[in-house]
Amino acid sequence: AEHQHTRYNPLRDDWVLVSAHRVKRPWQGQLEKPPPEDVPRWDPKNPLCPGATRANGEVNPQYEGTFVFPNDFPALQPDAPEPGDSDHPLFRSAAARGVCKVMCFHPWSDLTLPLMSLAEIRAVIDAWAELAADLGASYPWVQIFENKGAMMGCSNPHPHCQVWASSFLPNEANLEDQTQRRHLSQHSVPMLLEYAEQESRRKERVVVENTDWLVVVPYWATWPYQTLLLPRRHVCRLQDLCEGERDSLASIMQRLLIKYDNLFEVSFPYSMGWHGAPTGPYLKEDCRHWQLHAHYYPPLLRSATVRKFMVGYEMLAQAQRDLTPEQAAERLRSLPEVHYKQRAK
């Protein structure tokens, strides 16, 4: 806890430098603006609200639950042409096709996931699983991700996520495929299934847990309050979850996100996303090495206004963190599971 050391991340096959003593240094750098607390519940000018007009002229329905629609500014399109042939191995390119969708979690703009009911969160999970199955029928990779807060690049406060399906395996997916495949070959057990069992026994980095799920600050965490959400049984894909596991997932997500908000009593920013076994042509292949999981990457370090910057050494050498994962887990674990806004009421 007091001396720097490096830790190995078997999921990415790289290392992180842990320098816990650096968190004590004075800070005179950039201070972030806390997220606004006065987001209107409904705004006719907000393109994600029910009944609002989007950039392409389409009018949203008066939806009352989740709402999925094609991204008006997609990074991937299904009919992109093939790139030209390369004349040198240092200038390679490849085709990239896909679809991008947006999913609104709820019709109210001022209601984030930790403030939703369990039934509303369960509806989000069901919509995620449906999208993963539908798009995964033809695309090798379906990336579900949520950027929460302006600090993480979110341009609209309305609770929503994005779903990008691609004709290729992205870098992170390809890397996790290789490391998990290698671990199963060498140890005869899926890496993250074994890891969840170890963390459940050790308890040092557990934040919240229930019968079906475990949330830990991973041993190799890079971001200050990064967490890893893991099922206890072997599950390859989100759409493979049974009814009970979806209910318990809604519960553990709510508990984790309430703790996040309670840490600095602010709507906690993060980027999160689901990783599971590839789909499309991979549905016919043996993917037992994969274990479903979700990553949460929050940037805040010391307060609602001081964030962790991944610059300099992190960009040019390797990742570095300013407090140990055990310290971060203990702080999150000790927080109440009643949201600070609801306590105030």
Side-chain angles (χ1 to χ4, degrees):
E2 294 296 326
H3 302 286
Q4 68 268 16
H5 59 281
T6 60
R7 297 191 184 191
Y8 179 62
N9 181 347
L11 197 56
R12 299 195 75 257
D13 191 24
D14 63 10
W15 293 79
V16 58
L17 172 62
V18 182
S19 310
H21 56 284
R22 276 172 52 86
V23 79
K24 300 174 183 177
R25 75 193 193 281
W27 180 260
Q28 295 181 333
Q30 178 175 318
L31 298 179
E32 308 293 334
K33 292 182 179 180
E37 296 285 349
D38 57 348
V39 176
R41 179 154 292 181
W42 182 81
D43 181 355
K45 296 180 181 179
N46 187 328
L48 299 187
C49 283
T53 302
R54 302 203 309 276
N56 63 358
E58 291 189 19
V59 178
N60 296 334
Q62 294 292 340
Y63 65 92
E64 298 181 351
T66 59
F67 170 51
V68 179
F69 61 92
N71 194 314
D72 296 327
F73 303 96
L76 293 163
Q77 296 176 325
D79 54 357
E82 291 277 349
D85 294 334
S86 172
D87 62 354
H88 193 282
L90 293 179
F91 300 92
R92 297 165 60 191
S93 59
R97 300 185 180 91
V99 296
C100 299
K101 294 182 179 291
V102 176
M103 187 180 97
C104 295
F105 296 152
H106 196 279
W108 295 355
S109 293
D110 60 342
L111 201 64
T112 56
L113 277 171
L115 293 170
M116 293 181 191
S117 69
L118 290 177
E120 290 165 338
I121 299 173
R122 167 65 197 265
V124 170
I125 293 166
D126 286 341
W128 281 343
E130 183 177 351
L131 281 167
D134 290 349
L135 295 173
S138 52
Y139 286 101
W141 190 255
V142 180
Q143 184 59 66
I144 298 168
F145 65 97
E146 179 194 5
N147 292 327
K148 181 169 178 271
M151 197 182 303
M152 297 307 289
C154 183
S155 61
N156 193 310
H158 193 97
H160 71 286
C161 73
Q162 298 189 54
V163 184
W164 294 11
S166 62
S167 61
F168 54 91
L169 283 189
N171 292 342
E172 293 296 311
N174 189 50
L175 184 56
E176 288 192 3
D177 184 69
Q178 294 177 36
T179 57
Q180 290 180 96
R181 187 185 299 276
R182 184 165 61 243
H183 187 92
L184 180 65
S185 174
Q186 294 174 352
H187 303 282
S188 302
V189 60
M191 177 198 296
L192 292 181
L193 182 62
E194 181 179 11
Y195 179 67
E197 292 170 350
Q198 285 288 324
E199 289 286 28
S200 181
R201 180 174 60 82
R202 295 168 186 254
K203 303 294 184 185
E204 296 173 277
R205 288 166 293 273
V206 174
V207 177
V208 286
E209 59 183 324
N210 61 24
T211 304
D212 300 313
W213 297 90
L214 185 74
V215 175
V216 301
V217 177
Y219 178 79
W220 52 80
T222 299
W223 294 91
Y225 293 97
Q226 175 181 336
T227 54
L228 184 63
L229 172 57
L230 296 162
R232 292 186 185 273
R233 79 170 176 98
H234 188 201
V235 184
C236 287
R237 300 178 178 92
L238 193 62
Q239 53 267 43
D240 297 336
L241 297 174
C242 67
E243 292 291 315
E245 288 168 331
R246 296 186 186 197
D247 286 338
S248 57
L249 175 56
S251 174
I252 205 162
M253 282 177 55
Q254 184 187 65
R255 293 169 63 195
L256 170 64
L257 298 181
I258 286 174
K259 284 180 178 289
Y260 269 161
D261 280 10
N262 284 344
L263 180 60
F264 299 128
E265 295 198 346
V266 69
S267 184
F268 206 67
Y270 58 73
S271 284
M272 72 80 64
W274 285 99
H275 282 174
T279 48
Y282 293 89
L283 292 170
K284 299 179 181 179
E285 296 187 8
D286 184 356
C287 290
R288 288 177 298 167
H289 55 290
W290 270 91
Q291 174 75 332
L292 176 70
H293 59 282
H295 296 283
Y296 283 84
Y297 298 127
L300 293 178
L301 173 59
R302 303 187 187 197
S303 68
T305 60
V306 177
R307 66 179 297 181
K308 167 68 176 178
F309 286 90
M310 292 293 183
V311 296
Y313 189 86
E314 290 87 353
M315 295 176 71
L316 297 166
Q318 69 181 38
Q320 181 270 332
R321 60 178 293 117
D322 297 324
L323 75 165
T324 69
E326 294 76 28
Q327 291 168 333
E330 171 58 28
R331 187 164 184 190
L332 289 172
R333 187 166 54 242
S334 65
L335 291 167
E337 295 187 10
V338 176
H339 198 277
Y340 72 93
K341 289 185 177 181
Q342 295 170 334
R343 293 202 309 271
K345 292 180 181 179

